[in-house]
Amino acid sequence: MYKLFFRLVFKRMDPEKAHYLAFRWIRLAARTPVLRTFVAAALAPRYKELRTEALGLRMHGPFGLAAGFDKNAIAIDGMAMLGFDHIEIGTVTGEPQPGNPKKRLFRLVPDRALINRMGFNNEGSLAVAARLASRNPVVRTTVGVNIGKTKVVPEAEAVADYVKSTERLAAFADYLVVNVSSPNTPGLRNLQATEALRPLLTAVREAADRTVRARRVPLLVKIAPDLADEDVDAVADLAVELGLDGIIATNTTISREGLTTKGALVNETGGLSGAPLKERSLEVLRRLYARVGDRITLVGVGGIENAEDAWQRILAGATLIQGYSAFIYEGPFYARAIHKGLAARLRTSPHVTLADAIGADVRKKANAA
Ligand SMILES: Cc1cc2nc3c(=O)[nH]c(=O)nc-3n(C[C@H](O)[C@H](O)[C@H](O)COP(=O)(O)O)c2cc1C
């Protein structure tokens, strides 16, 4: 049904307009108690075997919504209602900003991919913090807060910008993510170099601890798939050294390798996401797990279209997994299908619990070597 609807309606609309239209419907459904109860009951993860403990948090399932879909924290209940067990809001920047000029979001339908150069369009950390403070949750979920650098802030002042967002937002975050991997903010990815990343993560950690004394807010970093393998290792080592809680792998790629879509669309500037990202994201995840093992929680994201993709990420070392682009192509039953298929795979696997399955492929390979 959704695929037909996508072909007849969404595909003919400007992608960003379609996004906001879908967003409005989801929010409306979440505000209508009967509909919300009905949809949430149908789509929520309800498999005992998928109950997950990650980042010190108890979750009903490992699959969540990746950052970028709900930048301003306006549809948390709606997305939770659709069965995403954690919602990562943001990227939120220190100051509000409009993002890049439109058009800035493109669908590569034959590749089941998207290119975006949104440029962190968001209302800024003050406004988002106020919204989170007044939030009255009606659907249970875990909320991650993803923060990034304001475009006009020079790289040399980036730390202060992240710290400002941390001070405003950490209290509302079940976990906090330092995003240094979007290709759409000039210079942002330079912050992935360990000389820049060390002071940044240290300052954000201190700011979170200073602001939230009652608990330790888990801190993660989100990395790009375009990092060289040695740089992936360097981030992994730094994360262990700093006692970071997690790494999210990966953001969108600037690569255009292997696309089948014809025409000028593939040359649009921005980050590529969806199916073509699958292989590299999985590779980065495997590499991270081989390096850090169980010492750090890994979150797998990039090209996860179905339960098999999600299962492969678990076996490669992910404790949590996320998706964005495939939601556009698969529709409202996407999260439910992933949780359902994961539970089925776990039952027929040699692993007793989901925790046993995490990284099993990488461990097997290491033992065989
Ligand atoms: C339109 C769009 C906007 C995005 N915005 C953000 C963002 O603001 N912050 C972020 O960390 N990632 C952002 N992402 C990246 C996603 O969170 C995710 O890492 C990436 O799309 C790979 O997952 P996918 O293949 O399932 O889409 C965005 C992705 C898309 C498609």
Side-chain angles (χ1 to χ4, degrees):
M1 263 275 275
Y2 175 80
K3 286 197 174 147
L4 184 68
F5 183 79
F6 178 86
R7 269 213 312 277
L8 295 178
V9 182
F10 279 163
K11 203 177 144 187
R12 293 162 197 236
M13 285 176 73
D14 169 70
E16 197 170 340
K17 282 203 184 121
H19 175 95
Y20 289 118
L21 183 65
F23 217 72
R24 277 228 296 280
W25 289 341
I26 293 166
R27 288 178 68 197
L28 196 67
R31 282 206 207 119
T32 314
V34 179
L35 199 56
R36 180 180 70 229
T37 311
F38 175 74
V39 177
L43 303 184
R46 50 169 167 229
Y47 305 94
K48 266 197 190 130
E49 58 272 50
L50 293 187
R51 287 196 186 150
T52 304
E53 178 122 18
L55 304 168
L57 306 164
R58 288 222 182 105
M59 309 198 194
H60 285 148
F63 190 62
L65 181 70
F69 193 86
D70 187 6
K71 290 183 188 274
N72 294 307
I74 58 179
I76 295 174
D77 283 320
M79 299 315 289
M81 172 190 81
L82 294 182
F84 291 97
D85 199 66
H86 66 274
I87 314 291
E88 192 170 308
I89 63 140
T91 292
V92 184
T93 54
E95 299 303 325
Q97 59 183 26
N100 288 321
K102 294 176 185 169
K103 295 183 163 188
R104 54 191 180 178
L105 176 61
F106 309 89
R107 287 192 212 101
L108 279 57
V109 179
D111 289 298
R112 302 187 310 283
L114 302 171
I115 291 177
N116 91 82
R117 52 168 178 272
M118 306 297 288
F120 292 166
N121 53 311
N122 79 105
E123 294 174 9
S125 53
L126 198 60
V128 174
R131 182 166 298 122
L132 288 169
S134 63
R135 181 171 170 251
N136 184 15
V138 285
V139 186
R140 191 215 62 83
T141 193
T142 295
V143 179
V145 177
N146 177 310
I147 56 172
K149 186 182 83 65
T150 308
K151 186 178 179 183
V152 294
V153 167
E155 250 177 276
E157 290 161 33
V159 172
D161 195 56
Y162 280 90
V163 164
K164 188 195 304 183
S165 295
T166 304
E167 288 168 348
R168 290 170 174 170
L169 290 162
F172 311 109
D174 289 318
Y175 68 86
L176 195 65
V177 182
V178 169
N179 179 13
V180 281
S181 48
S182 164
N184 301 315
T185 297
L188 187 85
R189 297 184 1 154
N190 297 341
L191 298 173
Q192 291 176 114
T194 48
E195 319 79 77
L197 198 52
R198 180 178 280 105
L200 172 60
L201 293 174
T202 305
V204 170
R205 176 74 270 160
E206 283 169 8
D209 292 343
R210 211 171 41 242
T211 323
V212 186
R213 293 184 185 271
R215 66 190 166 101
R216 186 179 177 281
V217 181
L219 179 63
L220 297 84
V221 66
K222 182 166 179 180
I223 63 170
D226 306 314
L227 283 177
D229 288 345
E230 312 80 77
D231 296 331
V232 172
D233 293 347
V235 173
D237 293 348
L238 181 68
V240 172
E241 180 199 318
L242 297 181
L244 214 66
D245 299 276
I247 304 178
I248 304 187
T250 66
N251 213 313
T252 57
T253 179
I254 52 170
S255 160
R256 296 292 184 265
E257 236 172 77
L259 296 179
T260 55
T261 304
K262 302 271 177 280
L265 217 51
V266 299
N267 296 321
E268 289 291 351
T269 302
L272 174 74
S273 58
L277 184 57
K278 193 176 299 193
E279 212 170 297
R280 178 61 186 159
S281 287
L282 180 59
E283 196 181 2
V284 171
L285 177 66
R286 275 204 194 103
R287 193 167 185 97
L288 286 170
Y289 188 78
R291 196 91 180 172
V292 302
D294 299 329
R295 287 178 291 175
I296 285 182
T297 299
L298 300 178
V299 184
V301 53
I304 296 178
E305 297 186 283
N306 50 42
E308 183 54 30
D309 295 335
W311 181 238
Q312 291 309 319
R313 300 299 159 109
I314 302 266
L315 296 175
T319 300
L320 297 176
I321 37 189
Q322 301 180 333
Y324 182 152
S325 302
F327 177 56
I328 310 298
Y329 290 107
E330 297 296 320
F333 297 107
Y334 171 53
R336 175 178 180 265
I338 300 241
H339 278 127
K340 190 174 175 203
L342 270 181
R345 275 164 181 76
L346 180 61
R347 266 181 244 126
T348 54
S349 81
H351 310 291
V352 180
T353 66
L354 196 61
D356 293 336
I358 295 167
D361 271 3
V362 180
R363 286 195 304 271
K364 195 156 85 186
K365 206 169 150 209
N367 290 340

